[in-house]
Amino acid sequence: MALQLGDTAPDFTAPTASGEIRFHDWLGDSWGVLFSHPADFTPVCTTELGTVASLTDEFARRDTRVAAVSVDSAEDHRTWSEDIAETQGHSVDFPMIADVDRTVSELYGMIHPNASETATVRSVFVIGPDKRIKLTLTYPASTGRNFAEILRVIDSLQLTAEHKVATPADWQDGEDVIITPAVSDADAAERFPGYRTVKPYLRYTAQPGRT
Ligand code: BEZ
C-alpha cells in the first residue's frame, strides 16, 4: 500500500553523488524533504534542482534537510550537477541519491508504472522530526513543482505542530490563522486573546509566536 500521512518514513542506506547516505541518521532531529525527479539531463528536472539549490538558506532557516532521488547513477548525478550550476546559477549542495537498484523508489512508491515503467515520478515527502510523513505530493513529469509552496507547507506544519491552530487557504507566514475546532471558546480566549469569530466554527487569531 502507498505510504500515507502519519506513516514512518522508511529508512534506507543508498549511494549519492557525494558518498553514502543513511537516511534516518542523516535526518537526525531535523525536518526533511525527500523528492524524486524522472531523470538527470532533462530540462524540467534541471530547473527544479536549480530552484531547490537556490533555496538552501530557506530550508536551513526551517531546520529542514533536503535530498533528491532518481534512478540515475552517482556518476551521472555528479556530471549533471555541473550543468545545473552552469545553467541555473546555483550549485547543488544537498544529497542526490543514486537509486539505480530502485530500493528507495520502491520503498516510497515513486515509480508509477502507468506513467513510466522505469522512471520515478515527481514525488515529494515532507518528514517531521519524529520521522513521520507529514505531506505527500505527486506531480507528472511534464509539470515542474513550486518549491515556494513546499516551504509554505513546512511553515504551516511547523506552526500547527506547536499551536492549536490551522492555516487557511493560500496562507503565508505572518498572516492570521484559524483556531482549531477542538479548542473551546473559553480556551481560545485564554490562548488567543482578542481572537475574532466569523462563525462559531470559523475563528481567527494572529499567528502565534509573532510579535
Ligand atoms: C523533464 O525534466 O523535462 C522531463 C523528464 C522526463 C519526462 C519529461 C520531461
Side-chain angles (χ1 to χ4, degrees):
M1 193 170 73
L3 288 172
Q4 298 186 327
L5 301 187
D7 290 352
T8 297
D11 194 16
F12 57 82
T13 300
T16 78
S18 47
E20 189 178 83
I21 188 170
R22 291 165 52 169
F23 190 55
H24 279 194
D25 289 349
W26 171 81
L27 281 172
D29 294 326
S30 297
W31 289 72
V33 174
L34 180 66
F35 73 103
S36 58
H37 63 274
D40 292 1
F41 305 106
T42 55
V44 175
C45 301
T46 301
T47 63
E48 285 195 324
L49 271 80
T51 295
V52 175
S54 78
L55 296 171
T56 297
D57 291 349
E58 293 297 324
F59 285 108
R61 204 156 65 73
R62 293 163 175 82
D63 187 26
T64 301
R65 313 202 75 184
V66 181
V69 57
S70 76
V71 298
D72 298 282
S73 68
E75 185 56 39
D76 277 355
H77 282 344
R78 282 192 287 273
T79 307
W80 181 45
S81 68
E82 292 170 18
D83 289 357
I84 296 168
E86 179 192 326
T87 62
Q88 307 303 304
H90 298 279
S91 296
V92 174
D93 57 357
F94 49 85
M96 298 168 77
I97 296 167
D99 192 32
V100 175
D101 67 4
R102 301 183 177 201
T103 301
V104 179
S105 311
E106 281 170 15
L107 277 173
Y108 281 80
M110 292 166 164
I111 293 179
H112 296 199
N114 291 326
S116 165
E117 289 279 353
T118 52
T120 44
V121 292
R122 299 188 196 280
S123 297
V124 182
F125 293 86
V126 176
I127 299 160
D130 58 0
K131 309 285 186 297
R132 291 190 182 273
I133 293 171
K134 307 297 182 185
L135 171 101
T136 64
L137 283 177
T138 307
Y139 274 44
S142 52
T143 306
R145 286 158 286 193
N146 181 336
F147 289 92
E149 167 63 3
I150 291 164
L151 291 171
R152 191 190 75 88
V153 174
I154 293 169
D155 285 340
S156 172
L157 288 167
Q158 293 184 343
L159 178 72
T160 59
E162 220 180 297
H163 301 280
K164 293 184 174 184
V165 298
T167 57
D170 297 332
W171 172 86
Q172 296 287 342
D173 189 36
E175 295 179 355
D176 286 358
V177 298
I178 287 170
I179 300 170
T180 53
V183 177
S184 69
D185 283 346
D187 194 10
E190 233 172 78
R191 287 175 187 275
F192 311 112
Y195 80 89
R196 144 177 92 83
T197 302
V198 177
K199 291 279 181 190
Y201 57 83
L202 180 57
R203 299 166 299 172
Y204 288 92
T205 185
Q207 179 176 327
R210 307 271 294 200
T211 48

